[in-house]
Structure formats: structure tokens, C-alpha cells
């Protein structure tokens, strides 16, 4: 069964940190490009960060220098380390796996940045 399961979301104060995880099963994880997307209330889903199967990464400008995407092919897990969080980072964060234009999505995890 193909499945992506996110975890690590929660409520954090501005300036705080969170680490999201995405556990994959049912796919050959190492050949997939992996990504984090987010969707805030009333807004379209946007790409946050992507990491290729070879490990190269790219970020949306608004998170550069604050977020770090990584992957562990030995455990089929992707991570998003989020530092210096801002209220604008509040959203549901989704894990995405893509190979050959066939995306797979997780169920999402809520991140709320508020004092």
C-alpha cells in the first residue's frame, strides 16, 4: 500500500522551531523526488521545498535560510526543519512524492505559529 504519513506539526511561538517528518511506504523511496507543500486558509497550495533523488534541494524564497529539507533513503523518511517560524508560516503542510508526473500526497499536518 502506497502511503505518505506526515508528523511533527503543532503550535509554536513566533521565532520557534519545528521538525516535520514524512514516512513513506509502498514506494521505492530513493528514486522519488520529494517535496513539502503548504496550504494556508483561503490560499492555494504552494511548494515550500523540494529535494531530488540525488539530494539537490530548492526552496521558495519566503523560507530560504530558515527551512531545511532533507531525506534519509535508508529509512524512507523526509524531513523539514523549520526555524525562525513566522505567523505567515501557519498552514497545513503536505508531503509529496513525485516520479514521472504521478504525484502521491500525504494527509497533511497542521503548523500554527502564534503567540
Amino acid at each position: 500500500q502506497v502511503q505518505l504519513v506526515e508528523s511533527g506539526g503543532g503550535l509554536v511561538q513566533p521565532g520557534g522551531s519545528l521538525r516535520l517528518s514524512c514516512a513513506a511506504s509502498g514506494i521505492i523511496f530513493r528514486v522519488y523526488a520529494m517535496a513539502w507543500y503548504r496550504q494556508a486558509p483561503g490560499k492555494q497550495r504552494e511548494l515550500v521545498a523540494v529535494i531530488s533523488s540525488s539530494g539537490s534541494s530548492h526552496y521558495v524564497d519566503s523560507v530560504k535560510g530558515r527551512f531545511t529539507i532533507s531525506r534519509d533513503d535508508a529509512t524512507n523518511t523526509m524531513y523539514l526543519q523549520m526555524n525562525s517560524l513566522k505567523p505567515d508560516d501557519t498552514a497545513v503542510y503536505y508531503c509529496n512524492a513525485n516520479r514521472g508526473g504521478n504525484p502521491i500526497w500525504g494527509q497533511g499536518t497542521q503548523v500554527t505559529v502564534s503567540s
Side-chain angles (χ1 to χ4, degrees):
Q1 181 183 1
V2 176
Q3 195 172 17
L4 300 177
V5 179
E6 301 97 333
S7 62
L11 173 64
V12 64
Q13 292 186 342
S17 298
L18 282 175
R19 188 193 197 200
L20 305 183
S21 299
C22 170
S25 58
I27 62 173
I28 303 174
F29 182 80
R30 67 181 184 276
V31 303
Y32 277 76
M34 300 296 297
W36 288 98
Y37 286 74
R38 66 186 179 187
Q39 187 166 19
K43 295 187 177 181
Q44 289 189 330
R45 191 173 296 190
E46 68 167 347
L47 176 65
V48 176
V50 59
I51 186 165
S52 71
S53 58
S54 62
S56 60
S57 58
H58 299 277
Y59 301 87
V60 67
D61 285 347
S62 60
V63 308
K64 283 181 180 177
R66 300 188 297 122
F67 291 10
T68 303
I69 190 171
S70 61
R71 62 189 297 160
D72 184 343
D73 291 348
T75 60
N76 293 351
T77 306
M78 175 179 65
Y79 302 97
L80 186 68
Q81 178 66 44
M82 305 186 295
N83 299 327
S84 302
L85 283 160
K86 305 175 181 180
D88 284 350
D89 296 317
T90 296
V92 177
Y93 284 71
Y94 296 92
C95 173
N96 170 278
N98 201 342
R99 176 172 171 81
N102 296 309
I104 304 166
W105 293 94
Q107 83 288 350
T109 185
Q110 176 70 47
V111 172
T112 303
V113 184
S114 175
S115 55

